[in-house]
Structures are given as structure tokens and as C-alpha cells.
Amino acid sequence: MIRSAPLHTARVAWRHSLRFRLALTYTLVALLLIGMIGAGVMTLLLRSMDRQFQARLGDRAEAVAERLTTPQLGLRQKSPPTSGYTAILDEQGRVVTAAAGLGLENGEPFPYSGQTQPEVRGTPMRAVTRAAGTFTVWVALPTDDLVVARQSATRALLFALLLTPALMLVIGWWVGRKALANLEEAADLADRIDPTRSLATLPLPVQEDEVHRLLAALNRLLVRIEAVQSREKQLLGQIVHELGAPLTVLKASLTRAGDRTGDAEVLRAALVADELTFTTQDLMQLARGQLEMRLAWHFIPATTLRSRLDRLVPGTTFAGHWDGMLLCDPDRLTQALRNLLANARRAAGPEGNVTLTLEESAEHITFRVRDTGPGLPPELGDQIFEPFVSGSGSSGLGLSVSRQIATMHGGTLTAGNAPGGGAQFCLTIPGAALGEEDEEAEETVSASA
């Protein structure tokens, strides 16, 4: 059985999403790979360009040296066009002739001797020398092309490092959403399964991938859980049935014996039998589950409920306004309040006080049970209402059943510690104000009863 809650009631935060983590992981991997590969490719490209530039510079120097040593060749060929500078030096390193752009006079010392990367007139250059007989040929070319190429390659790499991860993150998120759509739908459906009722299996995707295997394993687990729950409920029901009849007879016999003899031990034994009877009722409630419990609505005086509770839990102090009317199932509400009072009595001890206060408003009726015991353990919190969880030495079923009964009445049951010390439980049900339709329904219920 599946609750009628809407789909997608609890969305996973993006930082906890599996598809986001997958997309982020692939994005970081892509960033690392692009950075490494891009840096390697850029390094190889720049080295290749540097070698080509150095070869072009060497070819230029070789051509000038060859024309200088072979005058006939120089008469037939023109120097290849270049944007660099050329100078011819003598054995003492003085200028024999130089390009006009260098601004050097013949015979003066050459200022760029020994420099492979000089700066000529503010322009970075790369220079080589070649021997040409008794002369030295000096050729320099500007490195502007290399600088521009390096800057272009660096910008292209940075652009790839910025754009590609962003695209990878968006595409990875979209692909992950498509790939994990079946898993997300199954998670929403699983969140709507009520484990206290019959379990439902999760829908399987068409493609038999890892998600299909996971959901199939969960379905097999759900089937096993349902089988175990069914056996447990059946066994628990049989045990309660076997204990119920003897305890009822024992309780009646001890009550009559106590009334006849007045023996305190017999009366105490009757109270123990009464405690066991209510425990078996709680176990039966747990075995049947909330689905099988039905409420028999009655419109009763609040004093009737107080009288029943006074007999079941002697020593209770009643406060508040008990002169009104209640629309409830008297047996179930008595069972719920009796469980709260019995727990409070155990917590308060023989010398402590237990108070049941009735507060009534136009919309709600609140029963406030307070004791003078040590209070509720703070580490339990709301778990105290789970079956077999107890902070007072009881079976741990009473509070769970009491909350279940309050819920079926359309109300709530909360727990906490009172400001002055001790535990405090508040059971709230809708008020007893009736409209015309409710009055007709109540008359029908009373007539059938």
C-alpha cells in the first residue's frame, strides 16, 4: 500500500545529488585532461615555431654569407625580402657595412656582438652570426611573430579551460538526469511506501543497467520484508490470543477475591493482572495495525471518561474542566490516556504525583498528563513513541498505541518536559462542537448503539 502523497515531496539538494557529483567529477577530469593535453600541444607547437624561426634566421645568414664569399652569385641573385637587420663585421668586430635601420657608421664598434636576443630600437630580436672569409655576417629578425603566436596559443588554451568545463558540467548534469530518471522516480515512490501496511514493489526501467539491477534487488528485499512482517504479525496475534482469555479470567478472579477479602496483596495482584491485560491489548493493536482498527464514535460526558480512568489508575489528580462533552471512541481514548497515566505513575513512583488536566477550546480538547518524575531522557526525543522504546521501564508499546489512537481521532500526541520538572504529554483531539450534519450522524450512531 502506498500513501497518497504527491511525487517529488523531498528534493535532494544539489550538493548531495549523485548526478551533480558525477557531472562535477567528469568536469574536473576534463579540466585536468584539457589542461595537460593543451599545455603539451602548445609547448610542441611553440617549439616547432621556434625551430622554424631559428631555421629561417640561419638560412638568411647563410644566404648573406654565401653572396659575400661568392661575388658572382651575388650579382645574379637578390637578397630575400626580410624585416630584420643585417651587418657585416671585420675581424676586430667593427662595422664594415650595416642596414640603414641600425643607425651605425662604418668603422665603429658593433654594439650587439655576442648577443643572441638583442633589443634593437625597442624591438625584441633574435640574432645569429656566420663566418664569411675574414668577415662576420650578423643577421637579426624580430620575434613579434613568435610573441603573437605564443599569446594566441595561451588565449586559446585558457578559453578551452574555461568553456569546456562549463559545457561538461551542464551536459553532464543533463545526461545524469536522463540516466538516473528511473532511480529518482523509484526513490520518490519508495518514500511514499507505508511500511506498516502491505509493501509495494518499485517500477523497473526498460533498460537492464545498473539502475535496473539496484531496483530489482530492492524489490526482492521488499518482498522478503513483507513476508517477515506477515509472519511476525501472525505469530504476535496468536500469542496475544492465547494470553488474552486466561488474563481476563485471572483479572476477574483476583478482583472478586480482593473485594471479598480486602487483602492488599490480592488487590495488588489484581492491578498487575490489569496491567498485563492492557499490555495484551497494546500487542493486539500492534499486530492488527492501524488499518484494521475502527473507532466507535460516541458523544459522552467528560466525567464518564474521568471515572473510568480513576478506576484504572488510582491516585491520579484530575484538574481542568470536566463538565463538557466529548466526541470520541470511549474505549480507545480510555486506552490511550490510561497508557499515559500508567507511564506517568511508574515515572513518578509511589510518593510522586500524576495530574491529568482537561483543557477545552472551540476547536480542540487537550488532555495534559504531567508527573513529578525525573522527566524524559533528552536523547530519546520523538523516538519514545516508537514501538518497544521506553524510558520508564514499561513494555514500550503504550506510547506508540496512544499516538496511533490520537491520530485516528484526528488529533496529535506530543511529549516533553514540564518547566517545573517531570514529563508532560499532551493528547489533543478535535473539539466536540457539532454542525447539523454531525448531529444527524451522531443521532444515527447513538440509535444504532
Side-chain angles (χ1 to χ4, degrees), residues 97-120:
T97 182
L102 289 174
L104 299 176
E105 298 293 337
N106 296 340
E108 69 175 290
F110 189 65
Y112 305 112
S113 297
Q115 299 184 26
T116 58
Q117 295 183 356
E119 185 173 318
V120 180

Side-chain angles (χ1 to χ4, degrees), residues 99-143:
L102 289 174
L104 299 176
E105 298 293 337
N106 296 340
E108 69 175 290
F110 189 65
Y112 305 112
S113 297
Q115 299 184 26
T116 58
Q117 295 183 356
E119 185 173 318
V120 180
R121 296 181 178 272
T123 301
M125 309 288 287
R126 188 173 295 184
V128 295
T129 58
R130 291 290 187 272
T134 59
F135 298 101
T136 301
V137 176
W138 179 88
V139 176
L141 294 178
T143 58

Side-chain angles (χ1 to χ4, degrees), residues 1 3 193-199 229 233 286-291 404:
M1 184 66 66
R3 299 174 186 169
I193 293 178
D194 186 354
T196 63
R197 304 181 180 184
S198 60
L199 300 178
Q229 286 182 345
K233 288 184 178 181
L286 180 66
R288 291 177 176 175
Q290 180 175 342
L291 183 62
Q404 188 177 356

Side-chain angles (χ1 to χ4, degrees), residues 344-414:
R345 173 51 60 195
R346 280 190 291 267
E351 305 299 329
N353 296 323
V354 176
T355 304
L356 174 58
T357 304
L358 175 60
E359 301 173 357
E360 185 176 2
S361 66
E363 294 82 14
H364 300 98
I365 295 176
T366 300
F367 298 91
R368 199 178 306 275
V369 178
R370 181 175 178 180
D371 60 61
T372 57
L376 298 176
E379 65 273 8
L380 285 182
D382 207 51
Q383 293 181 351
I384 199 170
F385 292 107
E386 296 181 4
F388 306 111
V389 176
S390 173
S392 59
S394 63
S395 64
L397 290 174
L399 294 180
S400 176
V401 172
S402 296
R403 170 171 274 192
Q404 188 177 356
I405 292 174
T407 301
M408 295 197 66
H409 277 80
T412 59
L413 175 59
T414 59

